[in-house]
Amino acid sequence: MNLSAASAKHQSNLPAQKKNKTSKLAIREAAWGYLFILPVVLGLAVFYMAPSAASLFLSFTTWDGMSTPVFNGLDNFAQLAADEKFTRSLLNTLLYTVATVPLSIAFAVILAVLLNQKIKGMIVYRTLYFIPVITMPIAVGMVWKWLYNSEFGLINFVLGSLHLPQPNWLFDEKFALFSIVIVSVWTSIGYNAVILLSGLQGISTSYYEAASLDGAGTLYRFFRITLPLLTPSLFFVLVMSFINSFQVFDLVFIMMGQQTSLLDSTRTVVYSIWEDGFKYFNMGYASAEAFILFIIILLITAFQMYFQKRWVHYQ
Amino acid sequence: MRKRCSVLITILFLFTTVLAGCGGSSSGDSGGKTVLNVALWDENVKDTLTKTIQLYNKSHPDVEVKVTYTPWGDYWTKLKTSLAGNSGPDVFWMNGPNFYAYASNGWIKDLQPLIDQSKLDTSVYTDALVNLYSYKDHLYGLPYFLDAVGLYYNKELFDKAGIPYPDNTWTWNTIEENAAKLTDKKSGVYGYAALVDSQSGYYDLIHQAGGYIISDDKKSSGFDSPEVLSAFKWEQGLMDKGLSPSAQQQMETKPLQLFGSGKIAMFPAISVSAPELYKLLGDKLGVAPLPAGKKQATIVHGLSWAMNGKTKHEKEAWDLIQVLSGKEGEQLLADSGFSIPAYKGTEEGWLKSIPSLNLQVFVDSLKFAVPYPVSEKTAEWQDVESKEIQDAFLGKKPFEEALKTIADKMNKILATEGKN
C-alpha cells in the first residue's frame, strides 16, 4: 500500500522527464519489486513447487525411499483403482466432509451472528470460541479421546446418570467416524466464525435501517440482508473447509491410533498416504494417492469457483 | 545511495541465513575432533549413556559423541530418511522387527569382520539375541539389553480372594480357575488379561501351545495350525466368560492402565514394564513366570547397537559399540534398573533395582526363551496379522478364517523376500 502510494508520488513529481527515462525507472522499480518478492518465491519454489513436482514424478515409480526410483508407468494408478483400502478411505473422507462442512459452517454462522452484538465482555467470548483453533490437535485429540471413553469418559458418565444409552464412541465402527466429525466441527467453528464475523462487520448498517423502516422483522432481515451479503465470506469459508476436510489426518491418527482393524471405518486418504509412505515406505504408491487427492480437491474447488456466480453476491 | 545499500545488504543477509539453515552437516569434524553421532529413542537410559560415554572418552579423548533422542513415533522414519540421504547417525539402536530390512539392504554394517578382527567373544550375550541379530550367520548388531515376558500380579487382590500367589507350577488351567475366583464384576475387577497384544500376549501363548509364528528358515507362516487356534480360543474363552477385559475394552483403555489402577489381578507384560508398574502399584506388585500350556515359553526381544553402513568413522564407531555393549557398559545399564542387560552375568544390578520384586523370574525364564519372530518384511506381515487378529477378537470373523488369511498373506509376503 505505502509503497505504491510512494512510487505514484514519485512519478507525479517527474512530469517533464522523457518517456524512455520513465520506462527505465519502471524497469528499475520492477527489478526492486522482484527482488523483494524473491525470498517468498524461492521459499515457495523450494518447499512447495519442487516437492510437488517430485511427488508427481514419483507417482509413476516404485520407490522405497532409499534406493533409486524405478519407473513403472501407470502401475501405481492401476493398483490404486483395485485397492479396497484406498477406495474405502476415499469414501470415508467423503462421508467425513459431507458431515463436517455443513455442520461446521451452520454453527459458525449462528456463532458469528451471536458474537456480532454489542454487549459487555464480548472480546472474552470471542477469545473463548477461538481457543480450540489455536489448541494443538494432539491435545484436542487426547482430551476428546478421554471424554469419549466408554467406561471412564465424562460423556458416557453424563449419559449414564440420565439413563440414556452409552455408546462406545470411538471403538464401535458405527459411531467412530461420526465421533471424529463432532470433534472436527468443534475445532473448526472458531476459525470459520471469525472469518464470518469480519464479513458481518463489513455489512453497512444502512441496509438494516432501511429494512427496519420498511417494517422487516429480525428473521426477514437475517435471510434477506445478512445472509446474501455474507455470501462472499461464506464462499471463502466453504472453499477452505472443503480443502481442510479432504486433508484430515491428525485427529484420526491421534484418536484411533494404529488399531488396524477399526481403522477400516475411519481411515482417511491422507492417513492412507501416510501409512503407505512412512510405514511401508512405498513412496511411489503414496505419491500416486496424493496426486489423486490433489486432482479431487482441484476439481471440487474449480467447481465451486465456477458456480459461485449463482449464489455469491458482492456488494 | 546508502539507503539502497542497506536494503540490499538486508536482503542478502536474509538469503544467507536461509541458505545456512539448509546446509547442516550431519557427521563431520569440529575443531579437529572426530564427531560420532548416536541415535536412540528412550530417554530413560540417558544417565547410563552419559556415564558409558565418559568411559569411552577416557580411551578416546579426541572423539566427541553426540547423542540424539528421537521419540519412538518418529524414530524409524527419521532414521530411514537420514540414511537415505547418505547421512544419519553412526551408531544407533536397532530392534527386531526392523533388523532384517536394515541388514539385508546393507543399511547397517556387517559387524562380523570387526568382531573377528578384535577377537570379541559373542557367546557372552544371550543366545536368543545373538540369533535375532544374525543375518546369514553374521552378527549385524551387538546386543545391548533384552526383555522377557512375565506374569505380573496384584498381591492385594490375591490376598482378598484368599488365593496363593502364582508360581512356576501354574498352567493355563490354574489361570482360568483362579481368574474366575479373582473376577469381581461389581467392582469391575478382572482376574486376568488375555491380551490382544502380540509380544506379551498371543505370541507367548502360541509357543506355549506348541505352535510357532514363523518357521526357522523364514519361509513359511505357522499361523494355520491347530495349536495356534487353541491359543486364541483360550483367550477368547476368557473374554467370553468375563474373566478378562474384552478386545474392545483393551483397545480403548490400555490393559497396563487397568492393571495399574487395580482393575486386573494378573497381567502378562515385558520386564521393561517393571519400573513403571512398580511406580503404579508399589509393594502390591508381584511377578511370576508365565503359566505353561503344553510347555513353557516366553518371547524374548531386545535391542542391539548397530552401525551405519556408510559411516565415515568405522573404527571409532566400533570401539564405541564395544564399550556400550561391553561388560562395564552393561553393568551400568543393569544398575540403572532399565532392563536386563544382554551380557550374561551382569544382571546383578538389575535384580536389585526393585528389592520387593522377584526379578530373577525373568532371568530364569530365559531357559525357555523363544526369539521374537522376524523376517525381512516383518512390518508388512505383522500389519496383516494384527488386523486379522483384531477382526477376529471383535467378532467380525471366526478365528479359523482369520488365521487362514494371515497364513496365506504372510506366505505370499515371505515368498517375495530376499529378492532385492
Side-chain angles (χ1 to χ4, degrees):
Chain A
M1 266 298 259
N2 282 333
L3 209 82
S4 63
S7 69
K9 210 172 170 190
H10 200 71
Q11 274 181 353
S12 62
N13 280 345
L14 307 158
Q17 271 172 350
K18 281 180 197 166
K19 245 192 182 168
N20 75 351
K21 190 130 199 200
T22 343
S23 77
K24 232 184 202 170
L25 185 73
I27 291 169
R28 201 195 265 163
E29 277 189 352
W32 275 107
Y34 284 119
L35 195 59
F36 274 115
I37 62 165
L38 196 58
V40 181
V41 171
L42 261 186
L44 273 175
V46 172
F47 295 108
Y48 285 89
M49 320 268 209
S52 303
S55 168
L56 177 61
F57 163 73
L58 286 172
S59 64
F60 301 106
T61 64
T62 313
W63 189 43
D64 62 0
M66 306 274 297
S67 45
T68 355
V70 180
F71 188 76
N72 69 358
L74 292 171
D75 274 13
N76 287 334
F77 294 94
Q79 260 187 61
L80 273 179
D83 185 346
E84 249 176 69
K85 193 184 90 177
F86 183 66
T87 344
R88 186 72 204 261
S89 67
L90 264 179
L91 193 72
N92 285 337
T93 311
L94 204 67
L95 273 174
Y96 170 87
T97 305
V98 168
T100 311
V101 174
L103 278 177
S104 161
I105 293 182
F107 281 120
V109 170
I110 298 172
L111 186 66
V113 170
L114 290 178
L115 289 177
N116 195 24
Q117 288 164 32
K118 289 192 181 74
I119 54 166
K120 252 193 187 163
M122 186 44 88
I123 201 149
V124 177
Y125 287 107
R126 285 181 190 165
T127 314
L128 278 180
Y129 283 104
F130 200 67
I131 283 178
V133 182
I134 52 166
T135 310
M136 277 191 301
I138 293 188
V140 172
M142 293 308 282
V143 171
W144 275 90
K145 195 175 170 180
W146 196 239
L147 289 175
Y148 275 144
N149 191 298
S150 65
E151 278 180 278
F152 312 106
L154 185 66
I155 295 178
N156 274 6
F157 172 76
V158 173
L159 289 178
S161 43
L162 296 171
H163 300 287
L164 289 166
Q166 299 165 289
N168 194 331
W169 293 93
L170 282 177
F171 294 87
D172 185 329
E173 289 187 287
K174 289 195 290 291
F175 301 109
L177 191 65
F178 180 66
S179 304
I180 294 174
V181 166
I182 294 180
V183 184
S184 314
V185 170
W186 179 79
T187 46
S188 59
I189 285 178
Y191 176 77
N192 290 346
V194 165
I195 305 275
L196 294 175
L197 185 61
S198 69
L200 282 178
Q201 290 179 341
I203 300 175
S204 160
T205 47
S206 56
Y207 295 115
Y208 293 106
E209 283 158 9
S212 298
L213 282 179
D214 290 339
T218 321
L219 272 184
Y220 193 84
R221 273 180 293 171
F222 176 76
F223 282 108
R224 290 302 166 99
I225 299 173
T226 312
L227 220 44
L229 290 176
L230 198 58
T231 46
S233 311
L234 273 175
F235 175 69
F236 174 76
V237 166
L238 190 71
V239 171
M240 293 313 285
S241 299
F242 261 101
I243 294 176
N244 286 334
S245 164
F246 265 96
Q247 296 179 341
V248 63
F249 168 74
D250 35 20
L251 280 179
V252 181
F253 183 73
I254 293 150
M255 294 174 76
M256 301 309 293
Q258 300 190 35
Q259 305 289 0
T260 40
S261 175
L262 286 159
L263 268 173
D264 281 350
S265 58
T266 48
R267 183 187 286 104
T268 59
V269 178
V270 179
Y271 193 101
S272 176
I273 294 174
W274 169 80
E275 213 171 37
D276 286 319
F278 294 99
K279 201 163 155 199
Y280 306 133
F281 287 93
N282 291 331
M283 291 294 179
Y285 197 66
S287 298
E289 288 176 79
F291 185 64
I292 291 184
L293 181 66
F294 168 72
I295 295 291
I296 293 175
I297 294 178
L298 187 72
L299 284 179
I300 288 181
T301 311
F303 182 81
Q304 292 190 80
M305 289 295 200
Y306 182 76
F307 280 100
Q308 64 163 320
K309 57 177 178 257
R310 295 269 178 92
W311 64 280
V312 180
H313 308 276
Y314 292 98
Q315 290 189 44
Chain B
M1 196 59 203
R2 190 182 283 167
K3 208 181 223 169
R4 207 176 281 168
C5 262
S6 66
V7 171
L8 204 66
I9 286 166
T10 319
I11 292 174
L12 281 175
F13 178 71
L14 275 172
F15 277 122
T16 44
T17 23
V18 168
L19 291 176
C22 293
S25 69
S26 58
S27 84
D29 310 309
S30 71
K33 268 192 168 189
T34 307
V35 178
L36 273 186
N37 284 296
V38 174
L40 62 155
W41 61 81
D42 200 327
E43 284 203 62
N44 288 327
V45 290
K46 200 170 191 169
D47 291 342
T48 312
L49 222 52
T50 315
K51 282 184 210 155
T52 320
I53 289 166
Q54 278 166 2
L55 207 66
Y56 169 78
N57 276 339
K58 268 185 209 159
S59 55
H60 294 78
D62 52 337
V63 180
E64 190 188 341
V65 182
K66 278 190 188 157
V67 187
T68 313
Y69 298 87
T70 311
W72 168 255
D74 300 325
Y75 183 78
W76 297 104
T77 314
K78 197 177 160 192
L79 185 60
K80 211 162 174 179
T81 20
S82 65
L83 289 178
N86 285 332
S87 58
D90 302 285
V91 173
F92 47 86
W93 266 11
M94 180 48 56
N95 75 353
N98 286 289
F99 170 69
Y100 258 71
Y102 279 75
S104 62
N105 284 304
W107 301 333
I108 55 175
K109 205 158 219 110
D110 180 359
L111 298 180
Q112 203 62 48
L114 296 165
I115 292 170
D116 295 343
Q117 211 180 351
S118 8
K119 299 198 175 68
L120 188 77
D121 178 15
T122 53
S123 68
V124 296
Y125 297 105
T126 308
D127 299 344
L129 285 190
V130 174
N131 276 340
L132 186 62
Y133 291 107
S134 291
Y135 174 70
K136 294 189 175 158
D137 292 328
H138 280 200
L139 206 58
Y140 277 69
L142 212 52
Y144 191 39
F145 67 84
L146 57 97
D147 44 68
V149 186
L151 184 71
Y152 292 91
Y153 55 90
N154 185 325
K155 287 179 182 168
E156 197 179 49
L157 294 173
F158 271 80
D159 293 344
K160 222 193 271 171
I163 297 168
Y165 301 146
D167 56 36
N168 57 7
T169 65
W170 280 41
T171 62
W172 288 11
N173 291 336
T174 348
I175 290 278
E176 194 164 348
E177 272 166 41
N178 290 304
K181 293 180 205 159
L182 288 158
T183 301
D184 179 358
K185 285 191 178 144
K186 240 185 246 156
S187 46
V189 173
Y190 297 95
Y192 178 77
L195 297 175
V196 184
D197 182 53
S198 56
Q199 190 184 357
S200 327
Y202 57 82
Y203 278 3
D204 303 86
L205 295 168
I206 286 172
H207 283 279
Q208 287 160 13
Y212 63 93
I213 293 141
I214 185 168
S215 63
D216 290 337
D217 61 4
K218 317 275 184 207
K219 290 216 158 61
S220 62
S221 162
F223 271 97
D224 51 351
S225 73
E227 288 85 10
V228 174
L229 184 64
S230 71
F232 285 107
K233 290 274 176 188
W234 184 69
E235 284 204 289
Q236 184 68 59
L238 292 174
M239 290 183 195
D240 290 347
K241 287 173 200 149
L243 306 182
S244 155
S246 72
Q248 215 173 38
Q249 281 169 306
Q250 291 184 35
M251 286 175 195
E252 201 177 7
T253 317
K254 281 192 192 139
L256 189 142
Q257 232 170 332
L258 289 172
F259 179 70
S261 49
K263 299 280 183 197
I264 294 176
M266 293 180 278
F267 172 62
I270 52 175
S271 45
V272 176
S273 303
E276 190 181 356
L277 291 173
Y278 181 72
K279 224 183 268 168
L280 292 167
L281 288 170
D283 290 341
K284 286 186 271 178
L285 183 71
V287 68
L290 285 180
K294 277 185 194 156
K295 58 178 187 181
Q296 281 193 298
T298 180
I299 295 284
V300 168
H301 178 236
L303 299 183
S304 65
W305 287 106
M307 197 195 296
N308 186 335
K310 290 180 182 156
T311 180
K312 288 175 196 126
H313 309 289
E314 184 181 292
K315 198 190 159 298
E316 289 84 355
W318 172 236
D319 287 349
L320 177 63
I321 290 180
Q322 278 177 290
V323 174
L324 289 166
S325 287
K327 194 166 187 184
E328 283 175 281
E330 294 275 28
Q331 249 152 7
L332 283 171
L333 179 76
D335 293 344
S336 73
F338 179 74
S339 190
I340 313 170
Y343 198 110
K344 283 186 239 170
T346 59
E347 304 92 356
E348 198 59 30
W350 181 71
L351 293 172
K352 286 182 190 151
S353 61
I354 305 175
S356 73
L357 210 56
N358 181 19
L359 291 169
Q360 184 66 36
V361 162
F362 290 105
V363 179
D364 289 347
S365 62
L366 294 181
K367 281 189 296 246
F368 45 84
V370 183
Y372 188 90
V374 289
S375 73
E376 190 186 319
K377 294 183 177 169
T378 319
E380 271 179 52
W381 57 257
Q382 276 190 341
D383 238 54
V384 174
E385 168 203 310
S386 69
K387 180 180 166 2
E388 292 294 323
I389 299 289
Q390 284 176 24
D391 274 354
F393 269 125
L394 292 172
K396 285 198 225 169
K397 57 174 76 162
F399 272 106
E400 287 83 350
E401 192 190 322
L403 295 177
K404 181 90 186 43
T405 316
I406 298 174
D408 288 350
K409 288 195 181 169
M410 188 168 158
N411 282 331
K412 262 184 215 152
I413 294 169
L414 293 177
T416 64
E417 289 186 358
K419 286 189 180 154
N420 337 343

